[in-house]
Amino acid sequence: MIRVLVADDHPIYRDGLAVLLATVDGLEVVGTASDGVEAVAAATRLRPDVVVMDVQMPRLNGVEATRRLATDAPGVGIVVLTMSEDDGTVFAAVRAGARGYLVKGAEQEEIVRAITTVAAGGAVFGATLAIRIAEFFAAGPPAPTEAFPQLTAREREILELLAAGRSNAQIAAALYLSPKTVRNNVSNVFAKLQVADRAEAIVRAREAGLGH
């Protein structure tokens, strides 16, 4: 018997799904929850095999509730069942620990199959979502965002040398610039980073990986 908890803030959908799943042989609905906080508490207390989780819920959304359950009740499988099909929500749910993701409107058989598969340790995603997930991972990780994009190439070069502990005179010599040009660029860097002095700029730069 697979023990199921249904979490959704819409009572008609939540109760209707719970009644529907209760009629399926091999499934037992052990509880329901109307928001993410209730879902985490109920799943931690009842230890169902699977939580069917909505995303958009009050107090705590389904993605964050999934993330908490991955820590508090790691043996509980999560099937996200929601209206949202955008990539950001899908990937956020997967990163949080969901092993199933279906869009509301899925047939009963598809929902039951997802529950049984996740309960057995597998993963299930709707056909169109599975294709997009595969394409996302096939494309590889996105290029890292460059730190301090507001800086010009010259200002970034000077910040790199500042972070390495160089003085204005040393920077001028290294880049074949006049001391005045270096001073002006350093002032621009301070203004764009919204820092008060050289020490604060160096801290910001090193935190971003510059100057090593």
Side-chain angles (χ1 to χ4, degrees):
M1 187 70 71
I2 298 172
R3 304 171 76 250
V4 181
L5 174 74
V6 178
D8 196 296
D9 63 324
H10 294 95
I12 294 176
Y13 188 87
R14 178 183 67 242
D15 297 341
L17 181 60
V19 169
L20 190 66
L21 295 178
T23 65
V24 178
D25 289 339
L27 299 185
E28 177 189 3
V29 178
V30 296
T32 61
S34 61
D35 60 49
V37 173
E38 287 185 9
V40 173
T44 303
R45 183 179 73 256
L46 299 171
R47 297 288 169 161
D49 299 300
V50 176
V51 177
V52 179
M53 184 87 74
D54 188 20
V55 170
Q56 299 298 333
M57 294 189 292
R59 295 208 291 167
L60 188 70
N61 66 50
V63 172
E64 184 57 34
T66 297
R67 185 175 292 111
R68 293 190 186 183
L69 285 175
T71 300
D72 297 345
V76 176
I78 309 294
V79 174
V80 171
L81 183 61
T82 185
M83 296 295 295
S84 181
E85 199 175 356
D86 69 277
D87 289 351
T89 303
V90 173
F91 298 134
V94 172
R95 286 193 296 268
R99 297 208 308 270
Y101 195 109
L102 299 176
V103 177
K104 285 181 178 178
E107 298 291 335
Q108 176 185 348
E109 293 78 9
E110 191 175 7
I111 297 172
V112 171
R113 184 166 59 251
I115 291 171
T116 55
T117 300
V118 168
V124 175
F125 301 92
T128 57
L129 296 179
I131 291 171
R132 280 156 48 199
I133 290 171
E135 289 174 346
F136 174 81
F137 287 110
T145 303
E146 185 178 64
F148 312 123
Q150 69 271 39
L151 300 182
T152 66
R154 175 64 78 192
E155 289 164 353
R156 183 180 173 82
E157 196 172 22
I158 287 174
L159 179 59
E160 179 88 44
L161 292 172
L162 274 178
R166 302 287 184 88
S167 66
N168 281 9
Q170 290 172 323
I171 293 172
L175 299 180
Y176 303 101
L177 298 173
S178 72
K180 182 179 178 181
T181 299
V182 172
R183 283 198 304 273
N184 290 340
N185 276 278
V186 169
S187 295
N188 291 340
V189 168
F190 289 179
K192 290 182 178 181
L193 297 188
Q194 297 181 355
V195 297
D197 53 30
R198 194 182 198 92
E200 193 175 351
I202 290 172
V203 169
R204 288 283 306 280
R206 288 181 176 173
E207 285 176 347
L210 302 181
H212 296 305

